[in-house]
Amino acid sequence: MRLKSIRNCRPGDILARSIYTETGMVLVGAGVVLTERMIARLKKKNITSLYIEDERTNDIMVDTIISEETRREAMTLIHETFRAAEGASPKKWQHVFSDKLLGSQLRQVMTAIAGELKNSRSAMNLMADACAYDNYIFTHSFNVALYSSAIALKTGFSEKEIVEIGIGGLLHDIGKTCVPDEILRKPGKLTAEEFALMKKHAEQGFEILRKQDDISLLIAHCAYQHHERWDGSGYPRALKAEEIHPFARLMAVADVFDALTTHRVYRPSVLPHEAMEILYSGSNTMFDPTYVIAMRDTIALYPIGLSVTLNTGEAGVVAEANAGLPSRPTIRILTDENGRQVDKPYEYDLSKRLDLMIVACDELV
C-alpha cells in the first residue's frame, strides 16, 4: 500500500485501509473502489490522505497500534461526553459525570489503550487510521490522549499515572464546550476579544472537572495547564518550568503536535517530521525538552507508504520505520535517478546508509 494525498486519488483507486467516523465507526471499509463522488465527500469530511492499494507496494503493511474496538469505544465516549456538555449548566455537568459513571468508563477505555500501547513494538504511524470529522475537538481529544499516553509510557510513568494522563488528554479541551461555535470554527485569525474568550477554555475546563467526584484533581489540572509554556509565555497563569505539573508539560507537547499534523479550516496540516522540527525549535523555551525527545522517539516521523525522494534522485516509498532512529527509515526505491521506473524495486535502510538522506516528500494536504 502507499499513502496518497486525496488530491491525487482517482476514481478506481482501491482503499487499502478503512476510514473511520468521528465516533469510531467504519465509514468506508478497506477494499472499496473509490468513486468521484466518494472522493469529493471525503474531502468535505476533512480527509487529506488515504492508503491506496498498489501492486508494487502491497506487501508494505501498516501496524494498527490501537484496535478498532478500543478506538470505537474511546471515540464514542468522547463524542457523547462533549455533546452532552455543550452549553450545560454546572448542575447538568454533575449529571453527565455522576449518573453515567463517566469516570469509571474513562478509566476502563484508557486502561485498554495503555495496555495496547505497552504491547506494541511499532513506532506510532499517525497516518494509519484516517478519520472523517465535522468537529475537530473529538478526534483531537482522542489523539492527544493517545500521544500523551505513549509519551508517558516512554518516560517511565506508572500504569496508574498513564491512565490518568490519558483521561486528562481525553478531557483537556472540555472547556471548549463553553466557547461559542462561531469562534471555534472561524476560518480566519481571531480578534483580540475572540482570542480572550478562546483562552478561557483552560480555566472553564478546570472548573468543570475539579467539581466532579469521579475525576481526579490531576486530570483537572491537565485542562488547566496544557497551554502553559516552559518559559512562562503561556496561559492562564504564565507558569514556568517545574511550576507546571509534569502531566500538563507532557500534554502540551502532544497537544501542539496533533494541532500541527491535523488539517484545520485556517491552516493546512504538516507532516510529522515537520511538526517535530517546530517542537524542536521550542524545546527548552516553550516545551519541556524531555517530552519533546520522547515524542520524537514514539512516532514514525516518516509515515509508512509516504512517497519520498533521496539525495541521489532516486524515489520511492517509506517501507519500514526504524525503532530508535525515527529520521532514518527504510525506503523502497521505485524510480531511478532519471525518473524511470525500476524493473525490480529495491530497498535502502537509511539507518545503515548514512550517505543517503530524504530531501523531499509528497505533500498530503
Side-chain angles (χ1 to χ4, degrees), residues 2-202:
R2 65 189 307 170
L3 189 60
K4 291 177 67 174
S5 167
I6 197 164
R7 291 182 292 103
N8 297 327
C9 291
R10 298 291 180 264
D13 283 345
I14 300 174
L15 196 63
R17 288 186 66 89
S18 298
I19 301 170
Y20 296 89
T21 68
E22 62 187 16
T23 56
M25 303 298 291
V26 174
L27 177 66
V28 186
V32 169
V33 179
L34 297 179
T35 64
E36 187 172 348
R37 182 180 179 183
M38 194 179 299
I39 293 170
R41 183 186 175 200
L42 293 174
K43 287 179 181 177
K44 290 181 179 179
K45 287 287 187 178
N46 296 295
I47 295 292
T48 58
S49 60
L50 299 171
Y51 274 103
I52 300 299
E53 290 188 9
D54 171 59
E55 62 180 11
R56 307 184 86 202
T57 58
N58 272 348
D59 61 317
I60 295 175
M61 305 303 292
V62 180
D63 290 333
T64 299
I65 303 297
I66 301 300
S67 68
E68 184 176 308
E69 180 182 359
T70 300
R71 172 181 289 272
R72 183 170 58 251
E73 289 177 3
M75 292 299 295
T76 298
L77 187 56
I78 292 168
H79 192 269
E80 291 177 350
T81 303
F82 277 70
R83 285 298 189 205
E86 289 178 349
S89 65
K91 185 176 181 179
K92 186 176 178 182
W93 257 106
Q94 191 67 42
H95 170 77
V96 170
F97 276 84
S98 299
D99 289 6
K100 293 188 177 182
L101 301 175
L102 184 60
S104 60
Q105 290 178 298
L106 290 166
R107 279 189 285 277
Q108 182 177 348
V109 75
M110 280 313 310
T111 298
I113 288 175
E116 292 181 21
L117 285 172
K118 189 174 182 179
N119 291 331
S120 174
R121 298 184 180 276
S122 301
M124 196 179 298
N125 187 357
L126 308 183
M127 308 297 181
D129 297 307
C131 183
Y133 65 89
D134 294 312
N135 192 322
Y136 162 77
I137 293 177
F138 302 139
T139 53
H140 176 64
S141 298
F142 175 80
N143 289 342
V144 171
L146 190 62
Y147 303 155
S148 296
S149 300
I151 295 171
L153 181 64
K154 188 74 175 180
T155 49
F157 284 88
S158 69
E159 290 185 18
K160 182 179 179 181
E161 288 172 324
I162 292 170
V163 170
E164 291 284 283
I165 288 168
I167 297 172
L170 292 175
L171 299 176
H172 77 287
D173 265 348
I174 200 72
K176 284 186 177 177
T177 58
C178 303
V179 178
D181 197 54
E182 59 270 21
I183 294 179
L184 291 175
R185 293 176 181 266
K186 185 176 179 179
K189 184 178 180 180
L190 298 180
T191 65
E193 293 78 12
E194 290 169 336
F195 187 54
L197 283 173
M198 176 69 82
K199 289 199 298 183
K200 287 183 178 180
H201 80 273

Side-chain angles (χ1 to χ4, degrees), residues 13-14 36 46 64 67 105 109 125 132 151 188 221 229 251 260 273 285 308 322 328 334 345 364:
D13 283 345
I14 300 174
E36 187 172 348
N46 296 295
T64 299
S67 68
Q105 290 178 298
V109 75
N125 187 357
I151 295 171
H221 273 86
R229 294 296 178 254
M251 201 158 295
L260 290 169
H273 71 280
T285 52
V308 299
N322 284 314
R328 309 293 294 174
L334 302 176
L364 296 178

